[in-house]
């Protein structure tokens, strides 16, 4: 997970917001306080000046009246000057008394006495209207704010105006006090901000530290480690959250252990299943495949992940994923090649909760090659038996019908017809006998009678018997072991094997052909081979000649005769002796049948 930068962290945001709140609060409080404080100070100052002006006016009224009445005039002027000197207060910059002619008759600055003034405020006061205002005046290099009051001096309460009282009082100290208070407030704000920032950092850490621990725990849990726990710093809401997080970790650990156990069981089951299993998501793309499915499809699970199910099964042209969901429970898939048969039954089952949507498909692949082969062989076996029995039965029926219609009275035809029916009957008997023998071998209830015999002598006797009955146009060539060759075998069954092989060699040998016999001793085996010079067997059919009813050339085989079971019986007998039988052939040049038998049987064999 990407690390959160400091300026994007909750820690930083919390402190910034906390500081901004303090700044806004201090500014609002400071502005309101300073405005109120400044207004209050100004009001107090102006009220004090106004009250002093009222008092001075009363003191000046009598003296002005004397001056106007021209009684004790000089003394009145002196009294006015004395009063101005006595009544001046510390903040007063200028105090003047102006008569009705706008002439300054007394002032705190003696240099102004006798001068005329044209100030509008004095003129207005002489008209009976008191005025006051704050002005700025330059004192030296500085501008100083001054409170100016022009108050008419009247005879009595509403009498004639005798003159004007003019006062200038510096109010700059009030503003200086406001500036000082502002500086104090600013310094206090800075100190408060520093303390607030420190407290905010401490408070933010109490919140963000448990959250950071929980974030680290979440990252550790994402990697599958549930052993780490979040530290609980306090019992507040965040502490309760941390405790709940630890409880969640414990429950997740338990759930993960259960899930992992189930996953292990499922993996073991899938790994050791003899069937292939494939699971898809709801879109039909593969998300799971077991080892057996890999073997059956010759495709690794890493290559298969994310592929479309119909595609890897070779069904994309015939089925969509929706059709597979609604298809019959199973389909037969034939992956056979010319060399190897391979047939799979594919069963489909949807993954679905109750009546909810389909979340995927489970496909089970079962190898039914052997079953299909057995079923195919069964069908071929039934067909072959039916055909082999129908041919002689049809022949017998035809001849018996002819005899029944009167042919039995014909001395020439009757013996021939009876001989044909006898021949066909014997053929059916041989067929049934061979089938019974194979059935006993298949059912494993046939006991071999092992005896110690001289195989050289026994094989010589078999060859001699066939030599007496063979056609003169076919010759025998023998290369037999020149000494007695004792072996433990069932002589009757091995003689039957030799009979079947030699009979086939004679049947397929052309006129003038030769049958070659070989018998030799090996380390622990005896090796028999019988070769003819017939038409041979194509290479692709060599492995099939030991199958039941199999014939390379069916038409020619039926003309020659035989049940088609001779080599099949020979193969079963040789296997029962723990031996081997195989064929070698070159098409057009003949066939050689090889038989290997152990010289000693370790136990009585049962087939």
């Amino acid at each position: 997970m990407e690390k959160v930068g400091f300026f994007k962290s909750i820690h930083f945001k919390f402190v910034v917001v906390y500081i901004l709140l303090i700044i806004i609060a201090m500014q609002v409080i400071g502005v309101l306080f300073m405005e109120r404080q400044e207004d209050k100070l100004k009001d107090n100052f102006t009220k004090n000046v106004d009250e002093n002006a009222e008092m001075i006016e009363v003191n000046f009224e009598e003296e002005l009246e004397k001056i106007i009445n021209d009684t004790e005039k000089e003394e009145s002027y002196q009294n006015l000057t004395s009063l101005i000197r006595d009544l001046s207060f510390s903040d007063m910059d200028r105090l003047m008394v102006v008569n009705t002619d706008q002439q300054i008759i007394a002032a705190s600055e003696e240099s102004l006495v006798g001068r005329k003034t044209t100030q509008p405020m004095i003129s207005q006061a002489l008209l009976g209207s008191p005025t006051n205002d704050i002005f700025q005046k330059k004192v030296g290099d500085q501008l100083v704010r001054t409170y100016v009051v022009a108050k008419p001096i009247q005879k009595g309460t509403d009498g004639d105006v005798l003159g004007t009282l003019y006062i200038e009082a510096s109010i700059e100290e009030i503003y200086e006090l406001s500036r000082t208070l502002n500086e104090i407030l600013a310094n206090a704000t800075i100190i408060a901000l520093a303390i607030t920032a420190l407290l905010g950092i401490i408070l933010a850490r109490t919140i963000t530290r448990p959250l950071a621990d929980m974030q680290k725990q979440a990252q550790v849990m994402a990697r599958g480690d549930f052993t780490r726990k979040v530290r609980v710093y306090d019992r507040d809401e965040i502490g309760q959250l941390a405790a709940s997080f630890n409880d969640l970790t414990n429950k997740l650990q338990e759930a993960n252990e259960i899930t992992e156990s189930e996953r292990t069981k499922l993996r073991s089951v899938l790994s050791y299943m003899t069937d292939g299993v494939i699971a898809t998501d709801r879109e039909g793309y593969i998300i799971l495949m077991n080892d057996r499915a890999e073997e059956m499809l010759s495709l690794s699970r890493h290559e298969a992940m994310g592929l479309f199910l119909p595609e890897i099964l070779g069904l994309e042209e015939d089925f969509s994923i929706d059709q597979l969901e609604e298809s019959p429970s199973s389909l037969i898939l034939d992956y056979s090649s010319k060399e190897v048969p391979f047939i799979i039954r594919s069963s489909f089952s949807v993954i679905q909760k109750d009546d909810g949507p389909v979340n995927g498909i489970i496909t089970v692949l079962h190898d039914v090659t052997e079953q299909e082969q057995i079923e195919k062989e069964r069908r071929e076996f039934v067909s072959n038996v039916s055909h082999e029995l129908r041919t002689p039965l049809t022949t017998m029926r035809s001849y018996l019908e002819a005899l029944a219609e009167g042919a039995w009275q014909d001395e020439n035809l009757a013996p021939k017809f009876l001989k044909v029916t006898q021949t066909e009957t014997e053929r059916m008997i041989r067929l049934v006998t061979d089938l019974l023998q194979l059935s006993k071998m298949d059912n494993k209830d046939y006991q071999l009678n092992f005896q110690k015999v001289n195989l050289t002598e026994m094989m010589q006797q078999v060859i001699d018997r066939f030599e007496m009955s063979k056609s003169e146009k076919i010759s025998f060539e023998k290369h037999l072991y020149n000494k007695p060759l004792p072996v433990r075998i069932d002589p009757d069954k091995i003689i039957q094997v030799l009979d079947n092989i030699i009979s086939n060699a004679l049947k397929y040998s052309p006129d003038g052909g030769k049958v070659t016999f070989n018998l030799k001793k090996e380390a622990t085996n005896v090796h028999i081979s019988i070769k003819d010079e017939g038409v041979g067997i194509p290479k692709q059919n060599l492995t099939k000649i030991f199958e039941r009813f199999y014939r390379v050339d069916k038409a020619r085989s039926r003309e020659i005769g035989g049940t088609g079971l001779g080599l099949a019986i020979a193969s079963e007998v040789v296997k029962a002796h723990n031996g081997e039988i195989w064929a070698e052939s070159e098409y057009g040049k003949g066939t050689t049948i090889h038989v290997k038998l152990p010289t000693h049987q370790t136990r009585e064999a049962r087939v």
Side-chain angles (χ1 to χ4, degrees):
M1 183 180 293
E2 184 181 356
K3 186 177 180 181
V4 178
F6 174 75
F7 294 105
K8 293 183 179 179
S9 65
I10 295 177
H11 197 135
F12 176 75
K13 293 176 182 177
F14 187 89
V15 173
V16 169
V17 171
Y18 201 52
I19 290 174
L20 289 176
L21 287 174
I22 295 299
I23 290 174
I24 293 171
M26 293 293 289
Q27 288 300 315
V28 171
I29 293 171
V31 169
L32 291 176
F33 173 77
M34 292 309 300
E35 284 184 357
R36 294 280 182 91
Q37 184 69 19
E38 187 175 308
D39 290 343
K40 187 68 176 176
L41 290 173
K42 283 166 59 178
D43 289 344
N44 290 338
F45 184 85
T46 56
K47 184 178 179 181
N48 184 44
V49 172
D50 290 341
E51 288 177 353
N52 287 331
E54 291 286 344
M55 182 186 67
I56 294 171
E57 178 197 358
V58 172
N59 291 319
F60 284 180
E61 178 184 349
E62 184 179 352
E63 299 301 326
L64 277 176
E65 189 175 356
K66 289 179 181 180
I67 292 172
I68 292 172
N69 293 330
D70 201 17
T71 58
E72 300 177 358
K73 193 171 183 180
E74 289 295 329
E75 185 179 352
S76 296
Y77 280 122
Q78 291 176 0
N79 290 336
L80 285 173
T81 303
S82 178
L83 286 171
I84 286 174
R85 186 170 53 252
D86 295 338
L87 296 175
S88 297
F89 47 90
S90 59
D91 291 328
M92 189 179 295
D93 293 335
R94 180 175 293 175
L95 175 62
M96 296 188 304
V97 178
V98 181
N99 61 15
T100 54
D101 295 330
Q102 293 187 340
Q103 184 179 10
I104 300 172
I105 58 176
S108 57
E109 300 176 23
E110 293 182 1
S111 60
L112 297 176
V113 177
R115 294 182 183 181
K116 280 220 173 206
T117 179
T118 59
Q119 284 193 15
M121 292 181 66
I122 294 176
S123 299
Q124 188 174 352
L126 289 173
L127 294 176
S129 300
T131 59
N132 55 58
D133 204 351
I134 296 175
F135 297 97
Q136 284 185 337
K137 69 177 182 178
K138 193 170 183 180
V139 179
D141 295 332
Q142 296 180 343
L143 289 175
V144 179
R145 275 169 283 214
T146 304
Y147 179 63
V148 178
V149 177
K151 185 173 178 60
I153 302 173
Q154 293 177 314
K155 185 178 181 180
T157 305
D158 296 321
D160 296 335
V161 175
L162 302 177
T164 298
L165 177 64
Y166 180 81
I167 299 174
E168 290 183 3
S170 175
I171 199 173
E172 189 64 31
E173 289 184 2
I174 302 299
Y175 289 100
E176 187 67 28
L177 180 60
S178 296
R179 284 194 294 271
T180 302
L181 292 175
N182 276 329
E183 290 176 1
I184 293 172
L185 182 62
N187 292 332
T189 301
I190 293 172
I191 295 171
L193 287 176
I195 296 172
T196 300
L198 179 62
L199 293 176
I201 292 171
I202 295 172
L203 180 60
R205 281 182 61 80
T206 62
I207 297 174
T208 58
R209 184 166 53 179
L211 294 178
D213 283 352
M214 283 185 265
Q215 180 193 15
K216 292 178 181 177
Q217 173 66 5
Q219 293 173 346
V220 171
M221 288 168 60
R223 294 194 295 268
D225 183 3
F226 298 95
T227 58
R228 187 178 181 273
K229 296 293 184 291
V230 177
R231 181 180 174 184
V232 180
Y233 292 92
D234 208 340
R235 295 184 178 180
D236 57 6
E237 291 84 350
I238 296 179
Q240 292 177 354
L241 176 61
S244 300
F245 200 88
N246 288 334
D247 185 51
L248 174 63
T249 301
N250 293 331
K251 291 182 179 179
L252 283 175
Q253 184 176 9
E254 293 173 3
N256 186 66
E257 289 173 354
I258 294 172
T259 302
E260 189 62 31
S261 175
E262 295 300 322
R263 185 182 292 115
T264 302
K265 292 177 184 177
L266 178 60
R267 190 182 300 115
S268 298
V269 170
L270 291 177
S271 297
Y272 291 101
M273 282 183 67
T274 56
D275 291 339
V277 177
I278 301 173
T280 72
D281 58 15
R282 66 181 60 191
E283 302 297 329
Y285 294 98
I286 294 173
I287 58 175
L288 182 144
M289 175 185 285
N290 71 345
D291 296 342
R292 180 58 178 150
E294 290 185 29
E295 296 174 8
M296 296 174 79
L297 298 176
S298 299
L299 182 70
S300 71
R301 69 189 67 188
H302 300 293
E303 296 172 338
M305 290 302 160
L307 295 182
F308 200 44
L309 178 63
E311 180 182 348
I312 70 163
L313 294 180
L315 300 173
E316 67 274 14
E317 296 182 359
D318 301 320
F319 292 91
S320 66
I321 193 66
D322 295 331
Q323 289 173 328
L324 285 180
E325 293 174 2
E326 301 171 359
S327 68
S329 58
S330 64
L331 295 173
I332 298 297
L333 308 176
D334 191 349
Y335 297 137
S336 301
S337 62
K338 291 182 179 180
E339 296 79 14
V340 180
F342 187 41
I343 302 172
I344 293 175
R345 178 187 291 115
S346 178
S347 301
F348 302 96
S349 176
V350 296
I351 306 171
Q352 187 177 22
K353 289 184 178 179
D354 298 332
D355 296 330
V358 174
N359 294 320
I361 295 179
I362 294 290
T363 305
V364 179
L365 305 177
H366 181 64
D367 186 354
V368 294
T369 305
E370 185 176 356
Q371 298 175 14
E372 290 295 318
Q373 288 292 103
I374 291 173
E375 180 62 21
K376 180 180 178 182
E377 291 174 0
R378 185 192 65 79
R379 290 193 297 268
E380 290 180 354
F381 178 77
V382 171
S383 175
N384 287 328
V385 170
S386 300
H387 187 82
E388 294 295 337
L389 290 174
R390 185 173 64 247
T391 301
L393 286 173
T394 302
T395 303
M396 290 174 61
R397 178 183 176 182
S398 300
Y399 281 95
L400 289 173
E401 285 177 352
L403 289 171
E405 291 174 357
W408 63 273
Q409 296 176 352
D410 189 328
E411 295 179 357
N412 294 323
L413 290 177
K416 293 181 181 180
F417 285 8
L418 289 174
K419 186 177 181 180
V420 170
T421 56
Q422 183 180 2
T423 301
E424 295 300 326
T425 302
E426 292 174 354
R427 180 180 173 186
M428 286 191 294
I429 291 172
R430 287 197 306 273
L431 175 61
V432 172
T433 301
D434 290 344
L435 288 173
L436 288 173
Q437 185 175 354
L438 285 171
S439 177
K440 287 181 180 181
M441 292 180 176
D442 290 339
N443 292 330
K444 307 298 181 184
D445 62 354
Y446 192 76
Q447 181 71 43
L448 293 177
N449 182 20
F450 283 97
Q451 299 176 23
K452 189 173 184 179
V453 299
N454 182 354
L455 186 60
T456 304
E457 182 181 349
M458 188 187 80
M459 189 170 176
Q460 183 64 59
Q461 291 174 358
V462 173
I463 296 172
D464 290 343
R465 178 161 46 84
F466 274 96
E467 196 166 14
M468 292 177 62
S469 59
K470 70 176 179 64
S471 170
E472 294 180 358
K473 296 179 180 179
I474 298 175
S475 61
F476 281 180
E477 183 177 327
K478 296 177 286 186
H479 303 281
L480 304 182
Y481 192 67
N482 56 5
K483 295 179 181 179
L485 188 55
V487 292
R488 281 185 59 80
I489 58 173
D490 185 329
D492 292 337
K493 297 300 178 249
I494 296 301
I495 288 172
Q496 185 181 11
V497 170
L498 295 174
D499 285 349
N500 288 334
I501 297 173
I502 296 171
S503 295
N504 284 338
L506 292 174
K507 288 176 186 177
Y508 294 101
S509 291
D511 291 343
K514 179 175 63 176
V515 178
T516 303
F517 301 91
N518 282 283
L519 172 62
K520 58 184 178 179
K521 184 179 183 301
E522 297 178 349
T524 58
N525 298 307
V526 291
H527 187 177
I528 301 170
S529 65
I530 300 172
K531 180 183 178 184
D532 63 53
E533 294 181 346
V535 294
I537 303 170
K539 186 176 181 180
Q540 64 271 20
N541 297 329
L542 270 178
T543 58
K544 299 180 180 180
I545 64 171
F546 298 102
E547 296 176 5
R548 299 171 190 186
F549 294 109
Y550 183 80
R551 295 184 175 94
V552 178
D553 187 346
K554 295 184 180 180
R556 186 165 180 267
S557 296
R558 289 199 177 95
E559 289 177 3
I560 295 174
T563 62
L565 299 173
L567 289 180
I569 293 173
S571 176
E572 295 293 336
V573 171
V574 171
K575 289 178 182 177
H577 281 77
N578 298 318
E580 297 179 65
I581 184 170
W582 71 96
E584 293 178 351
S585 181
E586 186 175 353
Y587 193 66
K589 294 185 178 181
T591 302
T592 303
I593 304 296
H594 297 269
V595 176
K596 270 191 178 182
L597 296 172
T599 55
H600 293 86
Q601 297 291 336
T602 57
R603 59 183 175 84
E604 296 293 312
R606 181 182 293 273
V607 293

